[in-house]
Amino acid sequence: MKDYKKIICLTAAVCLLGTAAFCCYHIYDHYADEAEQTEAFENMKQA
């Protein structure tokens, strides 16, 4: 019975860490795109 609990906890931990990494990547990607768009807008405004 201990082995099943260990496997379930390990699987849950891996899923949670994977979800956290996925969310962090998307947040980073969003703000990187926002910075590029802001720079492009500033270039258009100056032209």
Side-chain angles (χ1 to χ4, degrees), residues 10-43:
L10 185 61
T11 303
V14 168
C15 289
L16 288 172
L17 288 173
T19 302
F22 181 75
C23 289
C24 288
Y25 169 74
H26 276 282
I27 289 169
Y28 170 78
D29 189 49
H30 170 74
Y31 283 110
D33 286 344
E34 183 180 347
E36 288 176 12
Q37 290 175 1
T38 302
E39 183 180 342
F41 180 74
E42 290 297 324
N43 289 339

